[in-house]
Amino acid sequence: MSSDSVSTYGSDLDATLDDGSSLTLEQRAALDTVDKAKGTPDVEQPWAALGMKADEYARVREILGRRPTGSELAMYSVMWSEHCSYKSSKVHLRQFGEKTTDEMREHLLVGIGENAGVVDIGQGWAVTFKIESHNHPSYVEPYQGAATGVGGIVRDIISMGARPVAIMDPLRFGALDHPDTLRVLPGIVAGVGGYGNCLGLPNIGGEVVFDPCYQGNPLVNALCVGTMKHEDIHLANASGTGNLVILFGARTGGDGIGGASILASETFTASTDGKAPAKRPAVQVGDPFAEKVLIECCLELFQAGVVNGIQDLGAAGLSCAFSELASNGDGGMLVHLDRAPLRDSTLAPEEILMSESQERMMAVVRPEDLPGFIAITSKWDVEATVMGEVTDTGQLIVLWHGETVIDVPPRTVAHDGPVYNRPMARPAALDKKQADTPDRLPRPSTDDELAALLLRMTGSPNLSSRAWVTDQYDRYVQGNTTLAMPDDAGVIRVDEESGLGVAIATDCNARFAALDPYTGAQLALAESYRNVGVAGGKPLAVTDCLNFGSPEDPAVMWQFAEAVRGLADGCQTLGIPVTGGNVSLYNQTGDTPIHPTPVVGVLGVMQDVSRRTPSGWRTAGAQLFLLGTTRDEFGGSEWAWFEHGHLGGLPPAVDLEAERSLAELLVAAGLDGQLLAAHDLSDGGLATALVESCLRYGVGASVSLTAVCDRDQVDAFTMLYSESTARVLVAVNSESMQAFTQACAQRQVPVIALGSSGGDTLTVSDRFSLPIEDLRAVHTATLPAVLNL
């Protein structure tokens, strides 16, 4: 559509109203209008096929005082879906707000409830970040499901007025050698990399985890970070009677009709042959080049001051944008749905409302700003259409060729949907699982057995190199990445002049959460918090992606409630707020749910990214220290799972005060230039941290376990493979040793010398020595071998 025709809509809306004459008599007779709905109360409607429950449909009729039209039913069904309404999780998510103190809000500029949270990082700069899921679409169509997951989270960041600067992607798959993993993994990785690379956004971190519990339910979580000045923050709402509502970006098509909103709101049910899910609504199709143009266009629109706010179109498409904008604003909106530019002219109103076609945005613009708005969209060759205007009626009214097909109170669609306090029950088998401790499992005792175990663990699916994945991502585009995979956290420079930047990490060990969801969620928080501190960042805020099975299962609902409670309590203890995130339920096939997987992202501020701390040492002669205390803790550990297929006992104890002291120490030591390297101890314990630190830059190490084993009263195996928390391996330059150990004492962080860096082997004195190249060969072989590359 040309800018002239768009300007006509803006300058004389009344002249463009359609009286319905463009519809044939047959089309008009078939159209389900509000007037028709009032006169035909007994018409059967496909509410169940759209995912609604009988009581929900009855509630819609009660709200409207009549049956809904087909368009209204489509809108309510997608907006009241689990994915969009959070109807099963709202009662628990309230804890994030209730447990946020004034002190925790010190750096919080925008919190939960907006497109993304925003935090103040100083010097007039703000950062917005959020993580979301695109799990079910990525199983149905791996490439497009993952690609559009990236596109969707990027648009959330744009809508806040920020420039996207980096993405991250925590991924989880079934067993590495399972045929379906081989089906979905290459496509998902290609989708994440392809979309992000085309946008020119560095992918700086994430996880790749393999576990049979994700068979048929891979998790594709995507995080985006954006930067802006404080004065550039924008919120989306339709305020100001007479202001225009403009749809701009890509045209609406049939792709994604009933996509994420419906797919993510019901479990997959296997088909009769067991080979594929029976439920396969359309998955969105992404165009990263169109999104790149949209990014630049939106930023210029904000800069020019010609928009009141911008809303992205993600799950539920126009249904979401219309209802949320109206609900968040003055409450009234008149929309001409037939003006929507289409890729498929045969789409019915219901389909247009439910379509989740990508690369679309909606803006609220003052009439006097329309020429400036159109000038900018035309400059970027972005199609823009005035769909309607803000009114004072308090109703969302949608017309189709002059006929009213929707007349609803917008808040009932967007915010006042059903809220369930679903039944919860502690899983009956959990006591037995916790009682089945890993203490009975055979452990290596000889030096040769320890060395052989180290090689096996180094090449295990969850500890081996992720280079096959991360090499498909551009980690350094834009030139502001100062740390990225395989380091513990990603670090991005925000201000080139001062060196101000942010560190971000995402983590979760779902086995811990399966054994104790309360503690498991806190352990995920603790690991991300620790990794940000390891890199040199002061943790400021949290975003989360809560991936669980069906909320209709009381055991799953109990897991969810416990995880939320644990995360809310943990954030309160650490003094950092949850700024937003995502809940992904129904991640199960049939009666088999995934492990509870509360992925936690932590963002921290760095005053000078040139002082960031990498995860490995570059030179010989660095003095190596272990921070923290080691205990015999193997419940849910990588050793117990990989070596014995065992999941039982209790996860490691969490000590958030110790995590806070540890992070404060690491940030201060990094700023003082004392640290040459730091690596957190998590999956695989000290053994894995030593291997990864040596392999990072190809420099070996010689360590002794005697002193630390004596201090912590554990044997060599436990010291090497325990996954006790609040522990970090650090490399310190010789001149800083005394100052560093004194700082540890002042903060009451346990510290003990391990040895030094250097050579071409990893030597655990008096026990074994392994060449770095042998470790590298084992470490890098696993994924390429299985994926036949």
Side-chain angles (χ1 to χ4, degrees), residues 444-759:
S445 56
T446 69
D447 295 342
D448 288 344
E449 289 174 342
L450 285 173
L453 175 61
L454 183 59
L455 285 170
R456 290 197 302 275
M457 293 282 285
T458 298
S460 64
N462 285 328
L463 300 180
S464 61
S465 169
R466 285 351 191 203
W468 183 90
V469 172
T470 59
D471 284 353
Q472 297 186 49
Y473 305 152
D474 192 331
R475 286 165 277 176
Y476 300 99
V477 64
Q478 296 189 12
N480 287 315
T481 304
T482 61
L483 280 185
M485 300 167 287
D487 291 301
D488 289 334
V491 175
I492 289 287
R493 180 192 300 108
V494 173
D495 182 60
E496 188 170 349
E497 184 175 341
S498 67
L500 181 71
V502 291
I504 314 101
T506 65
D507 288 289
C508 178
N509 184 326
R511 291 191 301 270
F512 292 162
L515 295 175
D516 182 342
Y518 180 90
T519 300
Q522 292 196 339
L523 288 168
L525 169 65
E527 186 177 354
S528 284
Y529 185 96
R530 188 186 323 130
N531 280 328
V532 166
V534 159
K538 177 185 177 182
L540 283 186
V542 167
T543 183
D544 60 70
C545 195
L546 306 176
N547 306 273
F548 288 77
S550 171
E552 298 169 46
D553 180 340
V556 169
M557 208 60 229
W558 178 84
Q559 292 174 329
F560 179 84
E562 284 295 283
V564 171
R565 185 171 69 90
L567 185 55
D569 288 350
C571 286
Q572 190 174 53
T573 299
L574 291 172
I576 56 176
V578 173
T579 63
N582 176 236
V583 175
S584 175
L585 301 176
Y586 292 100
N587 291 290
Q588 67 183 63
T589 299
D591 296 328
T592 306
I594 63 168
H595 290 331
T597 311
V599 174
V600 178
V602 173
L603 180 140
V605 63
M606 298 185 70
Q607 296 305 317
D608 184 358
V609 297
S610 68
R611 296 298 182 95
R612 80 278 189 189
T613 308
S615 62
W617 40 81
R618 297 174 182 268
T619 60
Q623 303 304 301
L624 308 183
F625 293 89
L626 177 63
L627 308 181
T629 301
T630 304
R631 294 170 291 272
D632 192 321
E633 294 179 302
F634 288 95
S637 69
E638 192 61 38
W639 167 78
W641 177 251
F642 173 68
E643 281 287 293
H644 302 285
H646 179 272
L647 176 58
L650 291 172
V654 61
D655 186 340
L656 296 176
E657 292 297 343
E659 298 284 6
R660 188 207 301 267
S661 297
L662 184 59
E664 290 173 350
L665 169 72
L666 293 167
V667 171
L671 284 172
D672 289 343
Q674 297 173 356
L675 300 181
L676 299 175
H679 195 336
D680 92 303
L681 272 62
S682 52
D683 297 344
L686 175 61
T688 296
L690 285 167
V691 169
E692 292 178 347
S693 296
C694 289
L695 293 181
R696 186 69 180 93
Y697 297 107
V699 179
S702 179
V703 301
S704 173
L705 303 181
T706 303
V708 69
C709 286
D710 290 344
R711 185 197 67 177
D712 293 345
Q713 296 296 296
V714 294
D715 60 13
F717 164 75
T718 302
M719 181 51 61
L720 285 169
Y721 293 103
S722 169
E723 296 185 8
S724 295
T725 60
R727 296 185 304 156
V728 171
L729 171 67
V730 298
V732 179
N733 60 58
S734 299
E735 312 86 74
S736 302
M737 285 178 55
Q738 184 176 356
F740 179 73
T741 54
Q742 287 176 347
C744 291
Q746 289 170 358
R747 297 185 185 275
Q748 297 184 314
V749 174
V751 58
I752 196 162
L754 284 179
S756 60
S757 65

Side-chain angles (χ1 to χ4, degrees), residues 200-226:
L201 292 177
N203 189 319
I204 59 172
E207 308 154 85
V208 181
V209 176
F210 299 98
D211 191 291
C213 78
Y214 304 113
Q215 214 69 65
N217 281 277
L219 302 186
V220 177
N221 296 172
L223 181 149
C224 187
V225 184

